[in-house]
Amino acid sequence: MKIVVAPDSFKGTATAAAVATAVAEGWALERPEDHVLLAPMADGGEGTLEAFATAFPEAERVPVTVTGPAGAPVETHWLRLPDGRAVVQLAAASGLPLLGGDLRPDTASSLGFGQAISAALDSGASGLVLGIGGSASTDGGVGMFAGLGARVLGAPVIGARVLGAGVLSAETSERESDGAGGPDVRSGASLLDDVTGLDTAGLRALPPLGAVVLTDVTSPLLGPAGAAAVFGPQKGITPERIETFDDRLARWARCFPDVDPSTPGAGAAGGVGFGLLAWGATLAGGAVAVADVLGLPAMLDGADVVVTGEGRFDGQSAVGKVPTVVRGLAGPARTMLVAGAIDAPLDGWDAAASLTVIATQTTGEPDDALRDPVRFARIAGQRLARLA
């Protein structure tokens, strides 16, 4: 039989490529005669670069040093595709894991993402593919704009210039000190308290082929389904401060009267989706767009079984997540799911395996699934093969 293994990464524990390989190894133990194809997937967040690198072995990883979300230098890279486009992943430059658990809701910045994009443009990228999942900030993309060469306007940062992850109000007379004798340095969402607009004289232009933004998030920028309310808590925004961040983002949105903050996806990555719309980029469904670029529909043609998965299969999985997208493309093939944990009904799936359940059955320790997901993904592949 023809088997296609196309999982997302198990975020924070295993890459999509590692999971796909483990499932295929387990499958081969049970059914060595089957033809198994690996198609690691992504939705614009963690693992997007790796998915493209797997699909295009001749692609070049280009190293770059950027300012991380907390202001420290981060060594990362972007990917130059054979056609000249660049893939830049926000999670690798301004991602939540880079904070190491030290959440900074007011000051975490998307600056490094903008710097990485600028580096790709400086290198001659003909177009951009931007994955924006996994953001550490709720800054609406103001940091990204600074990384792209714009200047933030508004007291006390009138005429500000970017220094590291913050903005130093070196040219303002309204506030020249932080009260402790030092310069007033602010970054991230705190910049939106007084923002009135951007000086775009130095803003980088879109490349000839434009910029496509990959995101699986359909939230608007503002309101109860927006960036602050839905995703802010995981970035350290407490319930009583959600309104404050929503007000900040609303003030930022008023700087761009021609951009609709209710656009689906504007609330992605703490509002970076909105910032990219304001820059002129196009938002696309993450997993669907990745599948198209990777040629997954053609790979699935004639498949007997398609195995997909993600770290946690839950109520959100039906909204553009990798497993749902892959299942929708699978046609008449049987579809099977591998997930770290399964917290939603499995209607429509032919078979499923939970790594947490497997770990409980084999070692008695459900947390072993987090500590060694590759081991249990291999067992999952073997068990699913028995059901083929």
Side-chain angles (χ1 to χ4, degrees):
M1 294 196 303
K2 177 181 177 180
I3 315 299
V4 178
V5 185
D8 196 358
S9 64
F10 284 29
K11 291 179 174 56
T13 61
T15 66
V19 173
T21 299
V23 170
E25 290 172 348
W27 191 283
L29 291 174
E30 193 70 25
R31 295 180 58 90
E33 70 281 5
D34 287 345
H35 179 48
V36 182
L37 299 178
L38 304 187
M41 273 287 292
D43 58 15
E46 178 184 320
T48 298
L49 279 175
E50 287 70 21
F52 277 91
T54 300
F56 300 99
E58 65 274 35
E60 176 190 1
R61 295 176 184 264
V62 183
V64 61
T65 302
V66 301
T67 305
V74 170
E75 302 289 337
T76 185
H77 64 273
W78 55 275
L79 192 70
R80 192 197 314 275
L81 297 181
D83 64 3
R85 290 179 300 164
V87 182
V88 186
Q89 182 176 303
L90 182 149
S94 305
L96 190 61
L98 296 174
L99 293 178
D102 180 20
L103 302 181
R104 303 187 179 203
D106 290 284
T107 59
S109 172
S110 60
L111 173 64
F113 181 51
Q115 292 172 332
I117 295 172
S118 288
L121 293 174
D122 289 343
S123 188
S126 59
L128 295 167
V129 179
L130 306 174
I132 63 170
S135 168
S137 67
T138 310
D139 71 354
V142 65
M144 176 201 70
F145 267 114
L148 289 170
R151 296 197 310 167
V152 182
L153 302 178
V157 290
I158 296 173
R161 56 192 178 89
V162 174
L163 289 184
V167 173
L168 173 63
S169 52
E171 301 169 26
T172 178
S173 60
E174 294 195 31
R175 183 178 174 185
E176 297 182 355
S177 171
D178 61 4
D184 173 30
V185 179
R186 292 198 287 168
S187 64
S190 67
L191 290 175
L192 304 181
D193 287 334
D194 303 287
V195 67
T196 59
L198 291 175
D199 177 350
T200 60
L203 179 65
R204 303 299 304 268
L206 288 168
L209 298 181
V212 175
V213 183
L214 308 179
T215 175
D216 66 342
V217 172
T218 58
S219 296
L221 180 66
L222 308 171
V230 176
F231 304 104
Q234 70 188 32
K235 302 172 188 180
I237 299 177
T238 54
E240 68 274 10
R241 298 198 67 216
I242 288 175
E243 185 176 355
T244 296
F245 280 81
D246 214 44
D247 289 343
R248 286 170 164 175
L249 292 170
R251 184 178 299 108
W252 175 235
R254 289 193 290 271
C255 297
F256 304 94
D258 296 330
V259 183
D260 185 357
S262 68
T263 301
V272 168
F274 176 82
L276 286 167
L277 283 171
W279 189 40
T282 301
L283 302 187
V288 173
V290 171
D292 183 59
V293 174
L294 299 184
L296 185 62
M299 189 178 295
L300 294 174
D301 186 35
D304 296 289
V305 177
V306 177
V307 183
T308 184
E310 63 182 342
R312 178 176 293 277
F313 184 79
D314 56 23
Q316 296 296 314
S317 298
V319 188
K321 298 289 188 179
V322 165
T324 303
V325 169
V326 172
R327 188 177 69 175
L329 294 171
R334 299 181 66 201
T335 54
M336 298 184 175
L337 175 73
V338 176
I342 297 175
D343 295 321
L346 292 168
D347 301 336
W349 295 94
D350 292 292
S354 163
L355 304 194
T356 300
V357 171
I358 294 173
T360 302
Q361 293 171 342
T362 56
T363 69
E365 294 290 339
D367 287 346
D368 283 350
L370 289 173
R371 288 188 281 267
D372 193 0
V374 170
R375 172 190 174 187
F376 296 102
R378 189 176 295 111
I379 296 172
Q382 186 173 12
R383 290 188 179 185
L384 290 177
R386 294 171 186 162
L387 303 174

